[in-house]
Amino acid sequence: MNTPAIIDIARICKEHGLRLTAPRKVIMQVLLKSTDHPDAVELHRRVRKIDPGIAIATVYRTVNMLRDKGVLERHTFADGRARYETADHEHHDHLVRVDTGDVIEFRSDEIERLQEEIARAHGFEIVSHRLEIYVKPLKKAAKRSRR
Amino acid sequence: MNTPAIIDIARICKEHGLRLTAPRKVIMQVLLKSTDHPDAVELHRRVRKIDPGIAIATVYRTVNMLRDKGVLERHTFADGRARYETADHEHHDHLVRVDTGDVIEFRSDEIERLQEEIARAHGFEIVSHRLEIYVKPLKKAAKRSRR
DNA sequence: CTAGTTGCAAAAAATTTGCAGTTGC
DNA sequence: GCAACTGCAAATTTTTTGCAACTAG
């Protein structure tokens, strides 16, 4: 299982009427194997390790197209840059360590349910949501990082 | 009570060792009276209605400084641009209408408590968090708006 | 007086776009 | 073959910064 997701990439493209081009294959592969949440520049950095000829414009175009199709999710954490993640996982929220920047995924059905209640109480239904909890380790105090 | 917050602005500056300059007064006043969450460009637009001489650089500098001091919170909703809100209110979360972009504030102690639990279960304590629920009206279906 | 602040313009960073050439289907 | 796609460079948009002039304390 070296390229476990290659089939899925082909399928995703076919489903959405997209051409299966070399740059797209590389970009989507990198995204699928990323467990963190890279921004466009970091994504481009990783992509060009595989194929140095791929332009950052293509990364942006691919990523925007996949977001429009609902294949990708764009997050914007506190640092302000857009960061991406494949949307094929089950939904989850994020714990973000303020000391290291590490992102830990979690899911709470209780919180999900409460959100439904709140939305309904206001006369709405939920389209999507995001919850980020910024944390530091319990025992040791963490340094604050600026910007 | 025409300028209800002017006293607070002076106090905030004094507390943080900042000079009470004219541009700062205007920028902070606009922020305090904003119930929505303007981005830097919109903030500048409002500020220059009061004093057209204020540069957008000053808006950015002021807003960044206030964020560092903890007076302001910077949010980044799904559209990607940084948007600001005074942090002196009690903490709350956001319902965002996807059809109009309107932001509705709410607060759920139950969700707050669950978050505490989750963080602790992972061995962390909460520094801050944000929860945004993107919603549309219950009865009528809403149009999707792109980027 | 003088260190903090500002406006301006230029720089940097992030993202999008026009266009001519390339490629998947 | 031809519309979709790409790379490149230029354009836009968003945010930051250098610097000389200004001003609150």
Side-chain angles (χ1 to χ4, degrees):
Chain A
M1 52 182 302
N2 291 330
T3 52
I6 198 77
I7 301 161
D8 297 310
I9 291 172
R11 189 173 47 74
I12 289 167
C13 285
K14 184 145 296 181
E15 275 174 11
H16 293 94
L18 303 174
R19 283 194 187 167
L20 183 58
T21 65
R24 244 169 227 172
K25 261 189 268 190
V26 174
I27 294 167
M28 293 178 74
Q29 245 173 266
V30 169
L31 272 169
L32 285 174
K33 80 167 60 158
S34 293
T35 57
D36 56 349
H37 304 69
D39 64 36
V41 175
E42 172 60 23
L43 189 53
H44 183 223
R45 195 173 298 127
R46 294 179 195 179
V47 158
R48 63 177 5 191
K49 267 189 202 155
I50 299 174
D51 179 350
I54 297 176
I56 195 166
T58 303
V59 172
Y60 275 107
R61 273 189 286 233
T62 302
V63 132
N64 285 342
M65 155 156 287
L66 293 178
R67 169 162 51 76
D68 288 347
K69 301 285 186 184
V71 178
L72 269 190
E73 276 171 27
R74 176 164 84 168
H75 300 282
T76 332
F77 294 115
D79 68 354
R81 264 163 309 158
R83 300 167 71 177
Y84 301 90
E85 159 179 55
T86 48
D88 58 312
H89 318 38
E90 188 177 66
H91 168 79
H92 58 253
D93 296 306
H94 297 117
L95 278 175
V96 184
R97 285 187 62 158
V98 296
D99 54 344
T100 62
D102 289 353
V103 175
I104 299 151
E105 299 176 353
F106 73 93
R107 181 184 163 77
S108 161
D109 290 322
E110 290 183 81
I111 289 183
E112 307 279 322
R113 203 186 55 250
L114 284 169
Q115 291 183 32
E116 286 289 349
E117 269 176 38
I118 289 164
R120 195 158 313 145
H122 285 263
F124 297 112
E125 65 177 298
I126 293 181
V127 175
S128 66
H129 75 264
R130 45 190 266 193
L131 168 59
E132 287 145 28
I133 310 182
Y134 295 86
V135 298
K136 62 183 180 183
L138 262 176
K139 310 295 159 149
K140 291 181 61 71
K143 294 271 164 34
R144 286 189 41 71
S145 77
R146 83 222 65 69
R147 202 238 126 89
Chain B
M1 53 185 299
N2 292 331
T3 52
I6 196 78
I7 301 161
D8 297 310
I9 292 172
R11 188 172 49 73
I12 289 168
C13 285
K14 185 146 294 180
E15 274 173 10
H16 293 94
L18 304 173
R19 283 193 188 168
L20 184 57
T21 65
R24 243 169 227 171
K25 261 189 269 190
V26 174
I27 294 167
M28 293 177 75
Q29 245 173 266
V30 170
L31 274 169
L32 284 175
K33 79 167 59 158
S34 294
T35 57
D36 56 347
H37 304 69
D39 64 37
V41 174
E42 172 59 23
L43 190 51
H44 183 223
R45 195 173 297 128
R46 296 178 195 180
V47 157
R48 63 177 3 193
K49 266 190 203 155
I50 300 175
D51 179 350
I54 296 175
I56 195 166
T58 303
V59 172
Y60 274 107
R61 274 189 287 231
T62 302
V63 132
N64 284 342
M65 156 157 286
L66 293 177
R67 170 165 49 77
D68 288 347
K69 302 286 186 182
V71 179
L72 270 191
E73 275 171 26
R74 177 165 82 169
H75 300 283
T76 333
F77 295 115
D79 68 355
R81 265 164 308 156
R83 300 167 70 178
Y84 302 89
E85 159 179 55
T86 48
D88 57 312
H89 319 36
E90 188 177 64
H91 168 80
H92 57 255
D93 295 307
H94 297 116
L95 278 176
V96 183
R97 286 186 62 155
V98 297
D99 54 343
T100 62
D102 289 353
V103 176
I104 299 152
E105 299 177 352
F106 74 91
R107 180 183 163 78
S108 163
D109 291 323
E110 290 182 80
I111 288 183
E112 306 281 322
R113 203 187 54 250
L114 284 169
Q115 290 183 33
E116 285 290 348
E117 268 175 40
I118 289 163
R120 196 158 312 144
H122 285 264
F124 297 112
E125 64 178 299
I126 294 181
V127 175
S128 65
H129 75 265
R130 45 191 266 193
L131 168 59
E132 287 144 30
I133 310 182
Y134 295 86
V135 297
K136 63 182 178 183
L138 261 176
K139 310 293 159 149
K140 292 179 62 70
K143 296 270 165 33
R144 286 191 41 72
S145 78
R146 83 221 64 69
R147 198 214 129 101

